[in-house]
Amino acid sequence: MPEPTVLAAEYFESYSVVGLLAVIGVLFVAVAFGAGRLLRPVVPTPEKLLTYECGVDPVGEGWAHTQVRYYVYAFLYVIFAVDSIFLFPWATVFAAPGYGATTLVEMFIFLGFLAVGLLYAWKKGVLEWA
């Protein structure tokens, strides 16, 4: 049986490779940022020093009304994107022998929940663009 110090040395040797790669990665990023800072032109003008936000000049009040329906549409998109993520693995499991009926029922239950949520959003008028 090997000595505990030999086992510990082998154990930490594998971590030293990971640590070395991490140090090399940090150095690579630091050198890239440093080279960018040294090589870029620095010509500050009043226009460049203005606050920039989404292509709109920062003039007037800082308060702007945002329509909440944009967030609702984004949220509905995320829900159906997650649904599609679950459909792909389901299709592969459905093809495996012995899982056909069970996965079919589970997926229709899942799609039923999504359909009820979409029907609820439609009934509440969330999907109306007006």
Side-chain angles (χ1 to χ4, degrees), residues 23-63:
V23 168
I24 289 172
V26 169
L27 285 175
F28 180 76
V29 170
V31 167
F33 275 112
R37 176 166 258 180
L38 290 174
L39 297 175
R40 72 176 180 221
V42 180
V43 185
T45 61
E47 290 83 17
K48 287 183 181 180
L49 297 176
L50 279 177
T51 304
Y52 179 80
E53 180 146 354
C54 300
V56 180
D57 289 331
V59 183
E61 293 183 29
W63 178 257

Side-chain angles (χ1 to χ4, degrees), residues 81-111:
V82 169
D83 175 37
S84 66
I85 288 171
F86 280 116
L87 284 175
F88 290 120
W90 169 76
T92 58
V93 170
F94 183 69
Y99 290 103
T102 305
T103 55
L104 186 65
V105 170
E106 288 173 352
M107 188 46 63
F108 276 115
I109 290 171
F110 179 68
L111 291 174

